[in-house]
Amino acid sequence: LLLFLLSILTPSSATMFAATGRRKKEKHKRYIMWLSDVHADPYYGTDMQSCSLEYLNETRQNQVGMIGCDPPYTLLEATVHAAAKVAAELGATQCIFSGDYVRHEQQHLIDPESQVPEIINNVTGILSQTFSKLNLGIL
């Protein structure tokens, strides 16, 4: 799961007087939260997880994910809550989510045709439920 915080300088309609007495446009920072590459695996910690079964004991013990495996929803939830806290503190105005919702090896899901849209819906729900409390638009 990748998380970025973008800081953008934007021109503002507010003006200030420079030492010369001329009006000068003031620039303000705007923050945009950017998340990507969730790769949520609903089977994390089971014998159907996307990573090697040799890690099964470790994934069962590490409920929020581990390096080398597509993560469970619990990691996404924890990350989104932490990101929302930072976004609120900085006054971020938007959240961009640039995809990769679903785990790797989708063909090994029990029913990929129904489960892929379900995973996308679950990820979108976690994002919108958390960020909507901040009145943050999700793109």
Side-chain angles (χ1 to χ4, degrees):
L1 177 63
L2 301 175
L3 172 66
F4 305 96
L5 183 63
L6 302 178
S7 171
I8 300 173
L9 286 176
T10 58
S12 170
S13 59
T15 57
M16 62 181 219
F17 282 100
T20 62
R22 292 180 160 164
R23 290 190 180 268
K24 182 178 176 183
K25 283 195 174 184
E26 185 179 59
K27 292 197 176 191
H28 292 280
K29 278 189 178 181
R30 272 187 5 178
Y31 292 95
I32 298 173
M33 188 64 63
W34 178 14
L35 296 106
S36 183
D37 298 288
V38 170
H39 296 288
D41 185 1
Y43 295 117
Y44 176 89
T46 73
D47 61 355
M48 296 207 38
Q49 66 189 15
S50 64
C51 64
S52 174
L53 288 180
E54 71 183 81
Y55 299 119
L56 187 55
N57 287 334
E58 288 88 350
T59 57
R60 286 183 175 156
Q61 294 171 7
N62 296 296
Q63 296 298 307
V64 291
M66 61 179 273
I67 294 174
C69 295
D70 289 334
Y73 289 119
T74 53
L75 179 61
L76 173 62
E77 291 165 347
T79 302
V80 168
H81 286 291
K85 183 177 177 183
V86 171
E89 289 170 2
L90 294 174
T93 56
Q94 294 289 320
C95 174
I96 297 172
F97 182 74
S98 55
D100 277 342
Y101 293 80
V102 183
R103 73 178 230 172
H104 296 95
E105 311 263 343
Q106 297 166 19
Q107 71 275 17
H108 296 299
L109 293 168
I110 292 172
D111 181 12
E113 283 189 36
S114 67
Q115 287 180 290
V116 167
E118 181 182 332
I119 294 167
I120 292 170
N121 188 51
N122 290 342
V123 169
T124 303
I126 291 167
L127 290 168
S128 61
Q129 182 180 28
T130 303
F131 285 114
S132 66
K133 294 174 187 172
L134 301 173
N135 292 323
L136 217 66
I138 300 176
L139 306 174

